[in-house]
């Protein structure tokens, strides 16, 4: 029997995608991963939460969606200790290497453009600190400042980048290539975490000062207001509106949805909700789970 060249090419391509994705997931670490499958034409994205094994067994479905115009993204579930820096050039990669910041995973998303995952801890770190790490590294090495949030997706290796700007002369799209996948904690992890914590402390101090300056006054909330002030004002408004008839769970949902709609980062809202004394009292013993479920529901309705 003579094997079809087309079938053989497809088998080789599928094997490369499988190896690339499996190695990337191993480098990202953890047991559960979230995959974002976004339609280039409509912008709509579906999310699948899978184990590493389930993701590999779903490879053909992911390739099917990719071939038909969907971008394939991935991230570890939760703040796992690895942080993404997006839109990194070859020059920035060289600078990172020179300065001793070893990458856990490097993915070439388009010719000469990279996403770099840096592991700063073997264990999960607080979401707010993870975002601060992303901002610290982005400032140091360049990249996309809009991708510093700890929940930002990276591209899954082995699939094509479906952005129209990257279509090649032959009409094909470039593959997302896995360049490095050690998964190691960078030797400068402690230093990076210390700088990120200082950045986070300074940010929260500025927010507290802003809240103190406006205490007792009616404030018009805009997207430039500190999240702590926006959360405080949204909570005050909802409590005043509903008074003794308030349904606290519905109120928390409405506040979370409002702040997400305004563009505040999810981890910043989560920090405010988890720090809220009323929520701590009402949901004693499962505050984290309650806040995350509320935010998931709010994000899913936007």
């Amino acid at each position: 029997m003579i094997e079809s060249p087309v079938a053989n090419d497809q088998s080789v391509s599928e094997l490369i995608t499988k190896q690339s994705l499996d190695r990337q997931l191993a480098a990202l670490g953890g047991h559960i991963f979230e995959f974002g499958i976004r339609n280039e034409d409509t912008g709509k994205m579906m999310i699948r939460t899978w184990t590493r094994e389930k993701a590999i067994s779903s490879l053909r479905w992911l390739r099917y969606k990719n071939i038909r115009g969907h971008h394939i993204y991935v991230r570890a579930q939760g703040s796992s200790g690895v942080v993404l820096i997006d839109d990194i050039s070859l020059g920035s990669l060289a600078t990172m290497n020179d300065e001793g910041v070893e990458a856990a995973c490097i993915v070439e998303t388009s010719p000469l453009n990279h996403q770099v995952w840096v592991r700063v801890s073997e264990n999960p770190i607080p979401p707010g600190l993870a975002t601060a790490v992303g901002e610290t590294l982005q400032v140091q090495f360049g990249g996309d400042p809009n991708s510093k949030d700890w929940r930002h997706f990276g591209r899954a290796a082995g699939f094509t980048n479906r952005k129209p700007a990257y279509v090649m002369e032959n009409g094909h799209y470039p593959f997302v290539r896995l360049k490095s996948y050690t998964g190691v904690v960078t030797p400068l992890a402690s230093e990076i975490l210390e700088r990120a914590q200082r950045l986070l402390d300074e940010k929260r101090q500025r927010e507290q000062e802003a809240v103190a300056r406006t205490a007792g006054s009616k404030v018009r909330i805009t997207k430039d207001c500190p999240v702590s002030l926006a959360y405080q004002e949204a909570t005050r408004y909802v409590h005043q509106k509903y008074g003794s008839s308030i349904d606290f769970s519905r109120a928390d949902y409405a506040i979370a949805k409002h702040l997400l709609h305004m563009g505040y980062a999810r981890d910043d809202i989560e920090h405010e909700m988890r720090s809220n004394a009323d929520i701590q009292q009402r949901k004693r013993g499962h505050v984290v789970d309650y806040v995350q479920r509320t935010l998931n529901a709010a994000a899913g309705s936007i």
Side-chain angles (χ1 to χ4, degrees):
M1 179 179 178
I2 300 176
E3 186 174 6
S4 166
V6 174
N8 187 58
D9 288 346
Q10 289 176 343
S11 298
V12 171
S13 176
E14 184 172 332
L15 177 61
I16 292 173
T17 301
K18 179 179 179 180
Q19 290 178 337
S20 298
L21 180 61
D22 193 42
R23 289 167 176 171
Q24 183 183 20
L25 296 183
L28 294 182
H31 303 290
I32 306 296
F33 301 90
E34 294 176 340
F35 283 80
I37 302 95
R38 184 173 68 82
N39 187 298
E40 168 62 32
D41 294 330
T42 66
K44 292 183 178 180
M45 181 151 72
M46 65 181 84
I47 296 179
R48 296 290 183 268
T49 302
W50 290 331
T51 62
R52 182 176 167 188
E53 292 75 16
K54 176 62 177 177
I56 297 303
S57 69
S58 303
L59 186 65
R60 289 189 175 180
W61 181 77
L62 289 172
R63 281 169 55 84
Y64 171 84
K65 301 300 286 186
N66 186 221
I67 290 170
R68 282 155 180 77
H70 290 71
H71 299 272
I72 310 299
Y73 301 104
V74 67
R75 65 189 178 197
Q77 185 182 56
S79 179
S80 63
V82 63
V83 175
L84 175 69
I85 323 172
D86 194 10
D87 202 13
I88 295 295
S89 66
L90 281 174
S92 294
L93 284 178
T95 302
M96 290 180 67
N97 184 65
D98 291 342
E99 297 187 10
V101 178
E102 187 173 352
C105 181
I106 301 175
V107 175
E108 186 180 54
T109 58
S110 60
L112 306 181
N113 199 45
H114 305 81
Q115 290 179 336
V116 180
W117 298 87
V118 178
R119 181 170 296 283
V120 294
S121 174
E122 290 284 7
N123 301 308
I125 61 176
L129 180 59
T131 293
V133 168
E135 183 173 356
T136 298
L137 294 173
Q138 182 269 318
V139 169
Q140 184 175 2
F141 299 112
D144 183 1
N146 296 316
S147 303
K148 62 190 179 186
D149 186 275
W150 73 277
R151 288 180 59 79
H152 200 79
F153 276 107
R155 287 191 179 272
F159 300 92
T160 56
N161 184 335
R162 305 294 298 191
K163 281 188 177 180
Y166 295 136
V167 68
M168 298 180 289
E169 291 183 0
N170 61 7
H172 296 164
Y173 292 88
F175 276 91
V176 176
R177 302 181 184 278
L178 187 64
K179 304 294 288 292
S180 172
Y181 48 93
T182 64
V184 299
V185 175
T186 178
L188 298 183
S190 295
E191 177 186 321
I192 294 170
L193 284 169
E194 288 176 4
R195 286 192 285 133
Q197 187 62 58
R198 287 198 299 270
L199 177 67
L200 189 61
D201 291 343
E202 291 169 0
K203 177 182 177 182
R204 288 176 177 166
Q205 179 63 33
R206 290 194 298 270
E207 291 180 348
Q208 290 172 2
E209 292 172 353
V211 170
R213 286 195 300 269
T214 57
S217 61
K218 187 175 181 180
V219 180
R220 180 177 180 271
I221 298 300
T222 69
K223 64 180 181 179
D224 297 321
C225 290
V227 65
S228 55
L229 179 58
Y231 180 76
Q232 179 187 64
E233 287 299 305
T235 302
R236 181 187 61 80
Y237 171 80
V238 170
H239 281 244
Q240 284 185 348
K241 181 176 181 180
Y242 294 102
S244 60
S245 63
I246 190 170
D247 180 324
F248 289 103
S249 294
R250 287 180 178 271
D252 292 334
Y253 166 81
I255 292 167
K257 181 178 178 180
H258 173 67
L259 295 179
L260 286 169
H261 182 73
M262 289 188 69
Y264 288 101
R266 175 182 168 131
D267 58 305
D268 289 337
I269 302 170
E270 180 175 345
H271 171 75
E272 296 300 324
M273 295 182 71
R274 288 171 61 174
S275 301
N276 184 285
D278 178 60
I279 293 177
Q280 290 176 355
Q281 182 177 3
R282 283 189 284 117
K283 302 297 178 180
R284 187 173 302 168
H286 56 103
V287 171
V288 174
D289 177 65
Y290 170 74
V291 170
Q292 290 181 346
R293 284 190 290 106
T294 301
L295 283 165
N296 289 340
S301 67
I302 296 177

